[in-house]
């Protein structure tokens, strides 16, 4: 059960600089648990304290956004490719609202 | 200290996009060869927030554009967006959501209908560092429409030979 994972620049400090890593899991949640075992701290960057995927992180299985595949429950198969992209967002929006949105 | 060096034609394209989408915020990237720090391919993106105060790349377009860059050994050298009623300086939202440590964050203000303010920043772990914008291949006319927000000693215009 090997899943190819594309790692964005901002998370490469966890993977020793690697752009692509391999993980295992039947669901996205399982995969992130496995990746966190390999790269401690990795999972925390993607998951909120409440256990949901961060709003400003995009995760794709093959070429679909996991938000349309059940988010953390998205099923994975051997050979799937998972891509993580931090959202590109911002704007002249009020700080309190933005802080609430970003979960920070 | 860094500097953003950008071709006048690409900057014109960014400003045209910002003016076209005004009063909503416009956003996009300029891709360039990995490691080159040269922004060479303008990619205007859809603002899925369609807002005067917020921008957010459409998730599927984001994926397609990033994969295309990957295939071409490119990276996002510039990430740009417009502020349509305020200055071209990163808001607290911009700072807290900036997640591309290698990119030049280019801000364009269209608040003034005549003069476009253009400023460039690095945003790393919540720290904003402004950098000069160096426009290459510009005619004198084109440069005069912009306000670069830097003191004159740090703005560097480079015009075509003969200008």
């Amino acid at each position: 059960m090997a899943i190819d994972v594309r790692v964005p620049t901002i998370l490469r400090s966890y993977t020793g600089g690697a752009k692509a890593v391999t993980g295992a899991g039947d669901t996205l949640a399982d995969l992130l648990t496995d990746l966190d075992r390999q790269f401690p701290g990795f999972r925390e960057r993607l998951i909120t304290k409440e256990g949901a995927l961060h709003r400003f992180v995009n995760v794709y299985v093959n070429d679909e956004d996991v938000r349309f595949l059940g988010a953390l429950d998205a099923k994975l198969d051997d050979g799937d490719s998972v891509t993580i992209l931090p959202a590109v967002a911002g704007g002249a929006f009020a700080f309190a609202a933005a802080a609430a949105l970003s979960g920070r | 200290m860094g500097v953003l060096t950008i071709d006048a034609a690409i900057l014109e394209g960014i400003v045209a996009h910002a003016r076209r989408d005004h009063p909503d915020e416009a956003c996009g990237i300029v891709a360039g060869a990995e490691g080159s720090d040269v922004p060479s391919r303008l990619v205007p993106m859809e603002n899925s927030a369609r807002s005067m105060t917020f921008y957010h790349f459409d998730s599927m377009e984001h994926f397609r554009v990033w994969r295309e860059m990957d295939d071409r050994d490119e990276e996002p050298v510039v990430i740009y967006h417009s502020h349509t009623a305020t200055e071209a300086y990163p808001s607290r939202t911009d700072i807290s959501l900036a997640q591309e440590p290698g990119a030049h964050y280019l801000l364009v203000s269209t608040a003034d209908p005549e003069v476009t303010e253009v400023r460039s920043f690095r945003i790393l772990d919540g720290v904003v560092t402004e950098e000069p914008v160096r426009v290459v291949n510009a005619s004198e006319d084109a440069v005069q429409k912009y306000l670069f927000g830097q003191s004159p000693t740090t703005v560097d215009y480079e015009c075509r030979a003969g200008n």
Side-chain angles (χ1 to χ4, degrees):
Chain A
M1 184 79 185
I3 311 289
D4 173 52
V5 181
R6 308 304 302 252
V7 180
T9 312
I10 199 164
L11 295 182
R12 288 179 198 159
S13 54
Y14 294 92
T15 61
K19 292 167 74 166
V21 298
T22 302
D26 292 331
T27 64
L28 178 59
D30 293 347
L31 173 68
L32 294 181
T33 300
D34 177 57
L35 291 175
D36 199 65
R37 201 154 41 222
Q38 300 184 55
F39 313 111
F42 192 90
R43 184 177 181 278
E44 198 179 300
R45 297 297 299 271
L46 306 175
I47 305 292
T48 64
K49 285 192 200 77
E50 293 72 34
L53 202 56
H54 264 296
R55 181 186 150 105
F56 290 105
V57 173
N58 297 330
V59 180
Y60 308 85
V61 175
N62 301 319
D63 54 8
E64 288 201 67
D65 188 327
V66 295
R67 289 191 177 84
F68 303 109
L69 299 173
L72 290 170
D73 297 328
K75 296 276 183 287
L76 300 175
D77 286 319
D78 195 29
D80 276 346
S81 171
V82 168
T83 304
I84 301 166
L85 292 180
V88 179
F93 192 42
F95 176 61
L101 287 174
S102 70
R104 289 184 209 173
Chain B
M1 182 177 171
V3 57
L4 171 64
T5 303
I6 189 165
D7 191 271
I10 290 173
L11 186 60
E12 285 283 344
I14 291 170
V15 171
H17 180 205
R19 289 287 172 196
R20 197 161 62 236
D21 284 11
H22 184 92
D24 282 351
E25 292 195 5
C27 56
I29 64 154
V30 190
E34 241 169 30
S36 70
D37 203 33
V38 176
S40 56
R41 190 168 63 89
L42 174 63
V43 186
M45 307 275 290
E46 184 184 331
N47 176 4
S48 70
R50 292 181 186 283
S51 161
M52 296 190 284
T53 53
F54 198 63
Y55 80 97
H56 195 170
F57 284 8
D58 173 75
S59 122
M60 289 319 298
E61 185 180 30
H62 186 173
F63 181 75
R64 283 194 305 273
V65 169
W66 256 245
R67 184 156 66 180
E68 192 179 33
M69 283 194 287
D70 221 39
D71 291 345
R72 300 166 62 122
D73 295 321
E74 291 175 335
E75 61 190 356
V77 178
V78 170
I79 293 176
Y80 72 86
H81 76 282
S82 63
H83 284 175
T84 60
T86 54
E87 64 173 342
Y89 191 86
S91 67
R92 284 170 178 164
T93 310
D94 293 331
I95 297 163
S96 79
L97 296 182
Q99 299 186 87
E100 287 287 352
H104 300 268
Y105 282 87
L106 187 76
L107 275 85
V108 171
S109 172
T110 55
D112 184 313
E114 304 296 331
V115 179
T116 306
E117 189 189 9
V118 176
R119 298 172 73 175
S120 182
F121 305 88
R122 294 286 186 170
I123 307 177
L124 257 184
D125 297 328
V127 178
V128 175
T129 309
E130 183 158 14
E131 59 187 4
V133 177
R134 180 168 171 266
V135 181
V136 293
N137 299 323
S139 69
E140 283 171 28
D141 284 358
V143 169
Q144 279 168 9
K145 288 183 292 183
Y146 302 133
L147 175 66
F148 287 95
Q150 290 267 334
S151 66
T153 53
T154 58
V155 181
D156 185 1
Y157 302 153
E158 182 176 287
C159 297
R160 269 191 296 269
N163 281 352

